[in-house]
Amino acid sequence: MGKIVEFENFGEVFNEIVNTLEFEQLQKDFNEADNIYFIGNGGNAPVCSHASSDITRLTDKKCYSLDNVSYVTSIANDYKYENIFIKWLEDYIYPQSKSMVIGLSGSGNSKNVVSALAWANDRYNISTALISGQKSNCLDENITEVCFNRSYFHTVEILSEMTFYQLIHGTGNACPTIKSELIRKYGRQ
């Protein structure tokens, strides 16, 4: 067997991150939100979609991610790729409800993610947060940033996925065990 892929001690890193003031603020804002919008590019897009599905399924929150390919290509064509998340939020956000936008960016500097967070914060004064692999050098100071400070995108994507399950847990909910789901579905393991 060849060399095993590097995951940068993600378990230890995660344990450190969930004990920061930034994560505490993220959990507080998350707990208070009724509607949560997830935005991210590349490998973070399916992380957003997965988080949106499981958080909606396991909590009382309604979550959304931009995972409609037809809509994405239409916005990118008509409004430019750098504006896809702002345009999507314009079309879908419920400003009259307690909403939150969570962005994912490996570099911390994805222009379309960072600008959409700033736009949502400025336009609607709603909670916004960035989950990043590297510290952003262009994020507004009033946006919470949970930074993993990792070198590899795959490590950041795994840590982001873990973060969403921790947020679910922080609401007093939990993901069911495989065993409990087998019993629920089939009456046996």
PDB file of all heavy atoms in Angstrom, residues 93-113:
ATOM      1  N   ILE A  93     -34.032  34.652  -0.246  1.00  0.00           N
ATOM      2  CA  ILE A  93     -33.950  34.920   1.188  1.00  0.00           C
ATOM      3  C   ILE A  93     -35.281  35.454   1.730  1.00  0.00           C
ATOM      4  O   ILE A  93     -36.010  36.140   1.018  1.00  0.00           O
ATOM      5  CB  ILE A  93     -32.783  35.884   1.508  1.00  0.00           C
ATOM      6  CG1 ILE A  93     -32.337  35.688   2.945  1.00  0.00           C
ATOM      7  CG2 ILE A  93     -33.162  37.323   1.230  1.00  0.00           C
ATOM      8  CD1 ILE A  93     -30.959  36.251   3.227  1.00  0.00           C
ATOM      9  N   TYR A  94     -35.594  35.069   2.933  1.00  0.00           N
ATOM     10  CA  TYR A  94     -36.776  35.559   3.643  1.00  0.00           C
ATOM     11  C   TYR A  94     -36.310  36.594   4.667  1.00  0.00           C
ATOM     12  O   TYR A  94     -36.042  36.262   5.815  1.00  0.00           O
ATOM     13  CB  TYR A  94     -37.493  34.413   4.363  1.00  0.00           C
ATOM     14  CG  TYR A  94     -38.065  33.371   3.454  1.00  0.00           C
ATOM     15  CD1 TYR A  94     -37.453  32.129   3.322  1.00  0.00           C
ATOM     16  CD2 TYR A  94     -39.232  33.620   2.730  1.00  0.00           C
ATOM     17  CE1 TYR A  94     -37.986  31.164   2.489  1.00  0.00           C
ATOM     18  CE2 TYR A  94     -39.760  32.653   1.889  1.00  0.00           C
ATOM     19  CZ  TYR A  94     -39.136  31.428   1.775  1.00  0.00           C
ATOM     20  OH  TYR A  94     -39.654  30.472   0.955  1.00  0.00           O
ATOM     21  N   PRO A  95     -36.216  37.859   4.274  1.00  0.00           N
ATOM     22  CA  PRO A  95     -35.650  38.868   5.185  1.00  0.00           C
ATOM     23  C   PRO A  95     -36.513  39.126   6.415  1.00  0.00           C
ATOM     24  O   PRO A  95     -36.018  39.578   7.438  1.00  0.00           O
ATOM     25  CB  PRO A  95     -35.542  40.118   4.318  1.00  0.00           C
ATOM     26  CG  PRO A  95     -36.491  39.916   3.200  1.00  0.00           C
ATOM     27  CD  PRO A  95     -36.595  38.431   2.991  1.00  0.00           C
ATOM     28  N   GLN A  96     -37.805  38.814   6.346  1.00  0.00           N
ATOM     29  CA  GLN A  96     -38.685  39.056   7.482  1.00  0.00           C
ATOM     30  C   GLN A  96     -38.554  37.978   8.561  1.00  0.00           C
ATOM     31  O   GLN A  96     -39.032  38.152   9.669  1.00  0.00           O
ATOM     32  CB  GLN A  96     -40.147  39.177   7.029  1.00  0.00           C
ATOM     33  CG  GLN A  96     -40.754  37.893   6.508  1.00  0.00           C
ATOM     34  CD  GLN A  96     -40.411  37.545   5.061  1.00  0.00           C
ATOM     35  OE1 GLN A  96     -39.564  38.165   4.438  1.00  0.00           O
ATOM     36  NE2 GLN A  96     -41.060  36.528   4.541  1.00  0.00           N
ATOM     37  N   SER A  97     -37.873  36.882   8.269  1.00  0.00           N
ATOM     38  CA  SER A  97     -37.678  35.827   9.267  1.00  0.00           C
ATOM     39  C   SER A  97     -36.247  35.887   9.805  1.00  0.00           C
ATOM     40  O   SER A  97     -35.391  36.570   9.254  1.00  0.00           O
ATOM     41  CB  SER A  97     -37.962  34.456   8.662  1.00  0.00           C
ATOM     42  OG  SER A  97     -36.980  34.137   7.709  1.00  0.00           O
ATOM     43  N   LYS A  98     -35.994  35.154  10.850  1.00  0.00           N
ATOM     44  CA  LYS A  98     -34.655  35.109  11.458  1.00  0.00           C
ATOM     45  C   LYS A  98     -33.797  34.211  10.566  1.00  0.00           C
ATOM     46  O   LYS A  98     -33.902  32.989  10.601  1.00  0.00           O
ATOM     47  CB  LYS A  98     -34.765  34.555  12.879  1.00  0.00           C
ATOM     48  CG  LYS A  98     -33.476  34.598  13.654  1.00  0.00           C
ATOM     49  CD  LYS A  98     -33.050  36.004  13.988  1.00  0.00           C
ATOM     50  CE  LYS A  98     -31.803  35.936  14.852  1.00  0.00           C
ATOM     51  NZ  LYS A  98     -31.038  37.119  14.845  1.00  0.00           N
ATOM     52  N   SER A  99     -32.951  34.839   9.755  1.00  0.00           N
ATOM     53  CA  SER A  99     -32.157  34.119   8.774  1.00  0.00           C
ATOM     54  C   SER A  99     -30.668  34.245   9.059  1.00  0.00           C
ATOM     55  O   SER A  99     -30.235  35.138   9.790  1.00  0.00           O
ATOM     56  CB  SER A  99     -32.441  34.628   7.366  1.00  0.00           C
ATOM     57  OG  SER A  99     -33.780  34.382   7.004  1.00  0.00           O
ATOM     58  N   MET A 100     -29.910  33.349   8.451  1.00  0.00           N
ATOM     59  CA  MET A 100     -28.453  33.350   8.559  1.00  0.00           C
ATOM     60  C   MET A 100     -27.878  32.865   7.237  1.00  0.00           C
ATOM     61  O   MET A 100     -28.465  31.999   6.590  1.00  0.00           O
ATOM     62  CB  MET A 100     -28.019  32.417   9.693  1.00  0.00           C
ATOM     63  CG  MET A 100     -26.520  32.317   9.859  1.00  0.00           C
ATOM     64  SD  MET A 100     -26.075  31.258  11.254  1.00  0.00           S
ATOM     65  CE  MET A 100     -24.367  31.762  11.444  1.00  0.00           C
ATOM     66  N   VAL A 101     -26.728  33.405   6.856  1.00  0.00           N
ATOM     67  CA  VAL A 101     -26.006  32.923   5.679  1.00  0.00           C
ATOM     68  C   VAL A 101     -24.646  32.426   6.153  1.00  0.00           C
ATOM     69  O   VAL A 101     -23.930  33.139   6.849  1.00  0.00           O
ATOM     70  CB  VAL A 101     -25.816  34.019   4.610  1.00  0.00           C
ATOM     71  CG1 VAL A 101     -25.055  33.467   3.403  1.00  0.00           C
ATOM     72  CG2 VAL A 101     -27.159  34.599   4.180  1.00  0.00           C
ATOM     73  N   ILE A 102     -24.320  31.179   5.783  1.00  0.00           N
ATOM     74  CA  ILE A 102     -23.029  30.581   6.112  1.00  0.00           C
ATOM     75  C   ILE A 102     -22.297  30.302   4.807  1.00  0.00           C
ATOM     76  O   ILE A 102     -22.806  29.597   3.943  1.00  0.00           O
ATOM     77  CB  ILE A 102     -23.189  29.281   6.926  1.00  0.00           C
ATOM     78  CG1 ILE A 102     -23.901  29.563   8.252  1.00  0.00           C
ATOM     79  CG2 ILE A 102     -21.816  28.632   7.164  1.00  0.00           C
ATOM     80  CD1 ILE A 102     -24.199  28.321   9.081  1.00  0.00           C
ATOM     81  N   GLY A 103     -21.110  30.876   4.677  1.00  0.00           N
ATOM     82  CA  GLY A 103     -20.284  30.664   3.497  1.00  0.00           C
ATOM     83  C   GLY A 103     -19.120  29.745   3.802  1.00  0.00           C
ATOM     84  O   GLY A 103     -18.590  29.758   4.917  1.00  0.00           O
ATOM     85  N   LEU A 104     -18.730  28.951   2.824  1.00  0.00           N
ATOM     86  CA  LEU A 104     -17.566  28.079   2.930  1.00  0.00           C
ATOM     87  C   LEU A 104     -16.559  28.499   1.876  1.00  0.00           C
ATOM     88  O   LEU A 104     -16.925  28.692   0.712  1.00  0.00           O
ATOM     89  CB  LEU A 104     -17.943  26.621   2.693  1.00  0.00           C
ATOM     90  CG  LEU A 104     -18.543  25.852   3.875  1.00  0.00           C
ATOM     91  CD1 LEU A 104     -19.890  26.387   4.264  1.00  0.00           C
ATOM     92  CD2 LEU A 104     -18.636  24.384   3.524  1.00  0.00           C
ATOM     93  N   SER A 105     -15.297  28.621   2.294  1.00  0.00           N
ATOM     94  CA  SER A 105     -14.240  28.972   1.356  1.00  0.00           C
ATOM     95  C   SER A 105     -12.930  28.380   1.850  1.00  0.00           C
ATOM     96  O   SER A 105     -12.493  28.697   2.967  1.00  0.00           O
ATOM     97  CB  SER A 105     -14.109  30.497   1.239  1.00  0.00           C
ATOM     98  OG  SER A 105     -12.965  30.843   0.472  1.00  0.00           O
ATOM     99  N   GLY A 106     -12.323  27.537   1.033  1.00  0.00           N
ATOM    100  CA  GLY A 106     -11.043  26.949   1.407  1.00  0.00           C
ATOM    101  C   GLY A 106      -9.982  28.009   1.642  1.00  0.00           C
ATOM    102  O   GLY A 106      -9.261  27.983   2.639  1.00  0.00           O
ATOM    103  N   SER A 107      -9.902  28.981   0.751  1.00  0.00           N
ATOM    104  CA  SER A 107      -8.892  30.041   0.867  1.00  0.00           C
ATOM    105  C   SER A 107      -9.314  31.134   1.835  1.00  0.00           C
ATOM    106  O   SER A 107      -8.483  31.917   2.294  1.00  0.00           O
ATOM    107  CB  SER A 107      -8.640  30.675  -0.503  1.00  0.00           C
ATOM    108  OG  SER A 107      -9.773  31.433  -0.911  1.00  0.00           O
ATOM    109  N   GLY A 108     -10.607  31.225   2.101  1.00  0.00           N
ATOM    110  CA  GLY A 108     -11.139  32.319   2.909  1.00  0.00           C
ATOM    111  C   GLY A 108     -11.368  33.575   2.101  1.00  0.00           C
ATOM    112  O   GLY A 108     -11.846  34.576   2.628  1.00  0.00           O
ATOM    113  N   ASN A 109     -11.048  33.542   0.822  1.00  0.00           N
ATOM    114  CA  ASN A 109     -11.093  34.744   0.002  1.00  0.00           C
ATOM    115  C   ASN A 109     -11.916  34.594  -1.284  1.00  0.00           C
ATOM    116  O   ASN A 109     -11.760  35.407  -2.197  1.00  0.00           O
ATOM    117  CB  ASN A 109      -9.667  35.178  -0.361  1.00  0.00           C
ATOM    118  CG  ASN A 109      -8.879  35.534   0.883  1.00  0.00           C
ATOM    119  OD1 ASN A 109      -9.274  36.389   1.650  1.00  0.00           O
ATOM    120  ND2 ASN A 109      -7.773  34.839   1.083  1.00  0.00           N
ATOM    121  N   SER A 110     -12.767  33.598  -1.368  1.00  0.00           N
ATOM    122  CA  SER A 110     -13.598  33.418  -2.562  1.00  0.00           C
ATOM    123  C   SER A 110     -14.480  34.644  -2.722  1.00  0.00           C
ATOM    124  O   SER A 110     -15.367  34.899  -1.896  1.00  0.00           O
ATOM    125  CB  SER A 110     -14.459  32.157  -2.431  1.00  0.00           C
ATOM    126  OG  SER A 110     -13.649  31.028  -2.265  1.00  0.00           O
ATOM    127  N   LYS A 111     -14.238  35.390  -3.775  1.00  0.00           N
ATOM    128  CA  LYS A 111     -14.893  36.692  -3.945  1.00  0.00           C
ATOM    129  C   LYS A 111     -16.413  36.590  -3.911  1.00  0.00           C
ATOM    130  O   LYS A 111     -17.078  37.404  -3.268  1.00  0.00           O
ATOM    131  CB  LYS A 111     -14.426  37.330  -5.260  1.00  0.00           C
ATOM    132  CG  LYS A 111     -14.977  38.720  -5.477  1.00  0.00           C
ATOM    133  CD  LYS A 111     -14.443  39.345  -6.746  1.00  0.00           C
ATOM    134  CE  LYS A 111     -15.022  40.741  -6.920  1.00  0.00           C
ATOM    135  NZ  LYS A 111     -14.550  41.377  -8.139  1.00  0.00           N
ATOM    136  N   ASN A 112     -16.971  35.594  -4.602  1.00  0.00           N
ATOM    137  CA  ASN A 112     -18.429  35.509  -4.653  1.00  0.00           C
ATOM    138  C   ASN A 112     -19.034  35.117  -3.300  1.00  0.00           C
ATOM    139  O   ASN A 112     -20.140  35.516  -2.970  1.00  0.00           O
ATOM    140  CB  ASN A 112     -18.899  34.580  -5.768  1.00  0.00           C
ATOM    141  CG  ASN A 112     -18.374  33.175  -5.665  1.00  0.00           C
ATOM    142  OD1 ASN A 112     -17.584  32.833  -4.783  1.00  0.00           O
ATOM    143  ND2 ASN A 112     -18.797  32.321  -6.584  1.00  0.00           N
ATOM    144  N   VAL A 113     -18.305  34.379  -2.491  1.00  0.00           N
ATOM    145  CA  VAL A 113     -18.783  33.995  -1.167  1.00  0.00           C
ATOM    146  C   VAL A 113     -18.666  35.174  -0.205  1.00  0.00           C
ATOM    147  O   VAL A 113     -19.633  35.549   0.468  1.00  0.00           O
ATOM    148  CB  VAL A 113     -18.008  32.765  -0.626  1.00  0.00           C
ATOM    149  CG1 VAL A 113     -18.368  32.477   0.822  1.00  0.00           C
ATOM    150  CG2 VAL A 113     -18.271  31.533  -1.495  1.00  0.00           C
TER     151      VAL A 113
END
